[in-house]
C-alpha cells in the first residue's frame, strides 16, 4: 500500500486537497511553518519562547496571539543584514503596536505607516519621525498636515490631488518635504505567479505607461516646498520569485533614467516595495533575505549599467516576511462534529473560540493555514479536519484542511502558525467578539504587549449603553 493510501484509510476516505500530505505523526511540528523557538515538549504540548501554551492559556485565556520575540527580531535583523546597503522599512500595516515599533527601530529598521492611526502608534512608541514613511491612496489634507508637522521622513504620493495638497501644505513648511512617487509598473504579483501588462486597472499609484508618473515627477519637481526623493513601486504580496520584481524594476528604472535625460534630475532613491512570501503550509517555499537581496541588487545593477545611470539608494518594505512567521494563534476547542461529504467520505469540524474576527484571511483571501494539537500528545490516527470559528458565517474558517489526531475533544488547545501578519491588524469585533491579546514570549517568560479587549472596551463607543 502506498503512503497516501494508508493515509486515505486512516482519514476515513477524506483526502483533502492534493498538496496536503497525510502526516506519519500528526503530533509532529512541520518546523519551517513555525517560529524558530517553537517545539513540542515531552507531554506533546507546544512550547514557544520557552513558554508552555497550556500555562499561557491558563494565565491569559484563549484565543491569544503568541509572538516569539527572538524570532521577530531575528527576521527583522535578517532583512537588515542581508539588505545592508538599503533602507529597510517594516510595513507596519502587517502588525503594529508600540512594542513592535520599538523593536523595529532597535533592530535598525525604519517604519512604514499607511494611516493616521498607524502614525499615532509609531509616534507614541517614540519612533523618530525621520525614520517613518507614509503611504496611502487617499491621505487627507489634515493627515498630510500632521505628517509634515511632525517631520515624517518621506511621504509616498499616490495621486495628483495629493500632490496638490502637498504643494499647498509645504508652501510654508520649515524644511522641504521628502516625497516619493508611487508608480504602477504594470506588474501584479501574487504567490506563485505574476502578470506583466501594459494596463493598470487598480487604485494605487501613477501609471508609467500613460505618462502620469512622469507628469507627477514634473509637478513635484516644480514645487519649491517638496523634495523629490525617488520612485516607489510595490507589486503585490506573498511573492515567491523575483521575476516580477525584475520586470517592475526594469520599467521603474527606465522612468528613472528618462527623468534624468529629459529633466536633468538624478533622483537619489528608489523603493522596490515589499511582498516577500512566507510559508503558511507545505505548499509554500519562501526565499531567504540573502537570496532576495542578491537577486534584486543584481537586477538593479545590471539595468542601471545598461541605462547608464548611477544606482539610486534602494529601499524595501517587508511586512509579512518579518511579522508573519513569528506569531501563532492558540485556540481552545469547543465542539467537534463529524460531517458526511459527497461520496461517503467524512470530515471533522472542530470549532474553536475565535475565528474570522481574529483571522479573516481565510474568508477574505481563501488563505491556507495549518495547525497542531498544542496541549497534549495523541496516539490516535490522523483524520482530515476543518477548524472553524464561532461566528455566524459558514465562511468562518480558520484552517480549511489539516490532518489532526482523530481524538480531538473540547478543551484541547490548537495552535495555528504564521498568524503574525494581517491577522491582529485585520481583526474585527464581529459578533461583538473581544479581540485577543498579543503576548510576547521569550526565555520562558510571557509578557502581554496588547491586552485582550474587555466588555467595557466593547461598549466604550456605544453612547446609548446604560451603566
Ligand atoms: C502592504 C505593503 C507592503 C508590505 O507587504 P508585505 O506583503 O506585508 O511584505 C509594502 N509596501 C507597500 C506599499 C504596501 O502597501
Amino acid at each position: 500500500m502506498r503512503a497516501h493510501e494508508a493515509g486515505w484509510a486512516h482519514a476515513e476516505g477524506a483526502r483533502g486537497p492534493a498538496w496536503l500530505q497525510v502526516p506519519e505523526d500528526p503530533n509532529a511540528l512541520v518546523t519551517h511553518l513555525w517560529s524558530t523557538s517553537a517545539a513540542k515538549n515531552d507531554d506533546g504540548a507546544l512550547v514557544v519562547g520557552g513558554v508552555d501554551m497550556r500555562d499561557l492559556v491558563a494565565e491569559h485565556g484563549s484565543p491569544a496571539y503568541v509572538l516569539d520575540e527572538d524570532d521577530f527580531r531575528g527576521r527583522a535583523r535578517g532583512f537588515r543584514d542581508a539588505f545592508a546597503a538599503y533602507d529597510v522599512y517594516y510595513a507596519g500595516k502587517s502588525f503594529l503596536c508600540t512594542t513592535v515599533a520599538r523593536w523595529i527601530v532597535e533592530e535598525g529598521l525604519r517604519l512604514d505607516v499607511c494611516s493616521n492611526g498607524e502614525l499615532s502608534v509609531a509616534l507614541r512608541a517614540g519612533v523618530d519621525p525621520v525614520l517613518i514613511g507614509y503611504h496611502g491612496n487617499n491621505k487627507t489634507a489634515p493627515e498630510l498636515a500632521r505628517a509634515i508637522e511632525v517631520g515624517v521622513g518621506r511621504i509616498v504620493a499616490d495621486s495628483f490631488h495629493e500632490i496638490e495638497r502637498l504643494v499647498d501644505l509645504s508652501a510654508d513648511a520649515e524644511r522641504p518635504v521628502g516625497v516619493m512617487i508611487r508608480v504602477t509598473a504594470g506588474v501584479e504579483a501574487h504567490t506563485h505567479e505574476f502578470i506583466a501588462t501594459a494596463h493598470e486597472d487598480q487604485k494605487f499609484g501613477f501609471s508609467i505607461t500613460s505618462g502620469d508618473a512622469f507628469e507627477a515627477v514634473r509637478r513635484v519637481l516644480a514645487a519649491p516646498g517638496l523634495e523629490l526623493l525617488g520612485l516607489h513601486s510595490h507589486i503585490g504580496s506573498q511573492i515567491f520569485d523575483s521575476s516580477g520584481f525584475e520586470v517592475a524594476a526594469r520599467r521603474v528604472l527606465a522612468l528613472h533614467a528618462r527623468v534624468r535625460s529629459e529633466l536633468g534630475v538624478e533622483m537619489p532613491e528608489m523603493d522596490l516595495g515589499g511582498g516577500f512570501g512566507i510559508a503558511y503550509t507545505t505548499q509554500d517555499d519562501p526565499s531567504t533575505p540573502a537570496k532576495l537581496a542578491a537577486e534584486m541588487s543584481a537586477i538593479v545593477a545590471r539595468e542601471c549599467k545598461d541605462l547608464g545611470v548611477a544606482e539610486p539608494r534602494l529601499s524595501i518594505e517587508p511586512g509579512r516576511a518579518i511579522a508573519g512567521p513569528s506569531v501563532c494563534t492558540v485556540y481552545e476547542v469547543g465542539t467537534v462534529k463529524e460531517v458526511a461529504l459527497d461520496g461517503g467520505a467524512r470530515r471533522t469540524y472542530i470549532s474553536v473560540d475565535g475565528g474570522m474576527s481574529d483571522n479573516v484571511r481565510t474568508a477574505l483571501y481563501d488563505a491556507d493555514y495549518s495547525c497542531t494539537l498544542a496541549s497534549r500528545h495523541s496516539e490516535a490516527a490522523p483524520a482530515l479536519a476543518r477548524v472553524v470559528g464561532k461566528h455566524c458565517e459558514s465562511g468562518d474558517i480558520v484552517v480549511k484542511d489539516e490532518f489532526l489526531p482523530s481524538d480531538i475533544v473540547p478543551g484541547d488547545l490548537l495552535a495555528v502558525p504564521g498568524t503574525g501578519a494581517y491577522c491582529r491588524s485585520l481583526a474585527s469585533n464581529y459578533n461583538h467578539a473581544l479581540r485577543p491579546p498579543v503576548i510576547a514570549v521569550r526565555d520562558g517568560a510571557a509578557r502581554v504587549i496588547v491586552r485582550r479587549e474587555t466588555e467595557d472596551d466593547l461598549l466604550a463607543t456605544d453612547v446609548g449603553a446604560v451603566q
Side-chain angles (χ1 to χ4, degrees):
M1 196 186 278
R2 281 175 295 163
H4 73 267
E5 287 170 346
W8 171 279
H10 282 307
E12 300 177 3
R15 266 176 210 269
W19 58 267
L20 188 66
Q21 299 283 313
V22 184
E24 262 175 45
D25 174 7
N27 297 284
L29 284 188
V30 180
T31 48
H32 72 277
L33 306 181
W34 293 82
S35 69
T36 36
S37 74
K40 294 278 181 90
N41 68 11
D42 291 345
D43 293 345
L46 179 67
V47 177
V48 186
V51 177
D52 185 322
M53 292 301 106
R54 296 171 300 182
D55 298 337
L56 182 134
V57 168
E59 186 170 351
H60 300 285
S62 66
Y65 300 105
V66 180
L67 170 51
D68 184 333
E69 178 174 347
D70 286 338
D71 184 275
F72 183 101
R73 286 179 180 272
R75 286 177 207 275
R77 215 158 39 235
F79 274 99
R80 172 65 287 157
D81 294 347
F83 287 88
Y86 293 47
D87 291 321
V88 181
Y89 286 77
Y90 169 65
K93 75 175 197 272
S94 63
F95 173 64
L96 192 65
C97 64
T98 53
T99 304
V100 155
R102 286 186 201 108
W103 294 349
I104 283 298
V105 173
E106 284 165 16
E107 298 302 339
L109 282 71
R110 298 171 177 231
L111 181 64
D112 264 348
V113 299
C114 60
S115 71
N116 194 39
E118 288 176 11
L119 178 60
S120 302
V121 175
L123 295 175
R124 190 70 75 87
V127 176
D128 181 349
V130 167
L131 301 178
I132 298 175
Y134 194 168
H135 284 275
N137 68 300
N138 184 13
K139 304 189 242 358
T140 64
E143 287 168 350
L144 291 168
R146 181 190 189 199
I148 291 169
E149 193 192 320
V150 303
V152 156
R154 66 189 201 184
I155 295 174
V156 183
D158 197 285
S159 68
F160 289 120
H161 285 124
E162 189 180 324
I163 292 176
E164 276 173 33
R165 285 172 208 156
L166 287 167
V167 169
D168 290 346
L169 290 163
S170 63
D172 40 37
E174 283 168 31
R175 50 189 174 272
V177 176
V179 171
M180 299 201 80
I181 292 175
R182 170 90 179 250
V183 302
T184 39
V187 177
E188 269 237 23
H190 296 285
T191 60
H192 304 281
E193 304 202 338
F194 78 92
I195 322 163
T197 58
H199 151 96
E200 297 138 347
D201 188 8
Q202 50 115 344
K203 72 172 184 172
F204 292 110
F206 293 94
S207 160
I208 295 178
T209 38
S210 75
D212 281 356
F214 188 77
E215 177 59 20
V217 166
R218 264 193 359 87
R219 292 193 196 175
V220 171
L221 284 173
L226 302 181
E227 181 188 1
L228 180 61
L229 298 175
L231 304 175
H232 179 289
S233 152
H234 170 73
I235 58 172
S237 59
Q238 190 59 355
I239 302 165
F240 289 98
D241 90 65
S242 56
S243 43
F245 289 109
E246 177 159 8
V247 175
R250 208 178 293 140
R251 292 180 178 175
V252 179
L253 280 162
L255 175 60
H256 178 92
R258 183 180 164 209
V259 169
R260 178 172 175 262
S261 62
E262 292 186 25
L263 303 176
V265 172
E266 187 120 21
M267 292 178 281
E269 298 183 29
M270 178 173 294
D271 191 295
L272 300 173
F276 314 114
I278 66 167
Y280 287 106
T281 68
T282 52
Q283 298 171 96
D284 304 323
D285 185 17
S287 190
T288 62
K291 191 155 171 274
L292 286 166
E295 288 169 353
M296 292 172 80
S297 299
I299 292 165
V300 172
R302 192 172 59 235
E303 284 303 310
C304 285
K305 189 156 169 269
D306 289 354
L307 291 163
V309 293
E311 287 181 42
R313 180 167 180 88
L314 297 170
S315 49
I316 53 160
E317 306 173 322
R320 184 193 316 268
I322 294 174
S326 69
V327 174
C328 66
T329 309
V330 181
Y331 300 97
E332 185 176 313
V333 173
T335 67
V336 181
K337 203 183 270 185
E338 287 282 322
V339 173
L341 307 178
D342 290 347
R346 300 179 75 74
R347 193 199 312 271
T348 310
Y349 274 80
I350 300 174
S351 296
V352 295
D353 51 356
M356 64 191 295
S357 57
D358 58 75
N359 184 355
V360 77
R361 292 192 64 258
T362 305
L364 195 58
Y365 307 120
D366 200 28
D368 287 307
Y369 282 92
S370 74
C371 72
T372 197
L373 173 58
S375 47
R376 66 183 169 89
H377 182 84
S378 167
E379 291 294 333
L384 186 69
R386 176 161 289 173
V387 180
V388 296
K390 61 183 295 170
H391 297 287
C392 300
E393 292 276 339
S394 50
D396 173 28
I397 296 169
V398 179
V399 182
K400 283 187 283 184
D401 300 285
E402 182 62 290
F403 283 97
L404 287 169
S406 50
D407 63 348
I408 301 281
V409 287
D412 281 335
L413 301 180
L414 294 183
V416 176
T419 57
Y422 307 105
C423 289
R424 182 58 176 78
S425 60
L426 278 167
S428 76
N429 291 116
Y430 181 47
N431 294 144
H432 282 61
L434 303 173
R435 285 179 297 176
V438 181
I439 302 175
V441 292
R442 183 187 194 182
D443 298 334
R447 177 164 66 109
V448 176
I449 61 171
V450 179
R451 69 158 169 78
R452 186 181 304 283
E453 286 179 334
T454 64
E455 203 175 292
D456 285 342
D457 292 328
L458 210 53
L459 287 163
T461 53
D462 184 337
V463 295
V466 179
Q467 297 300 312

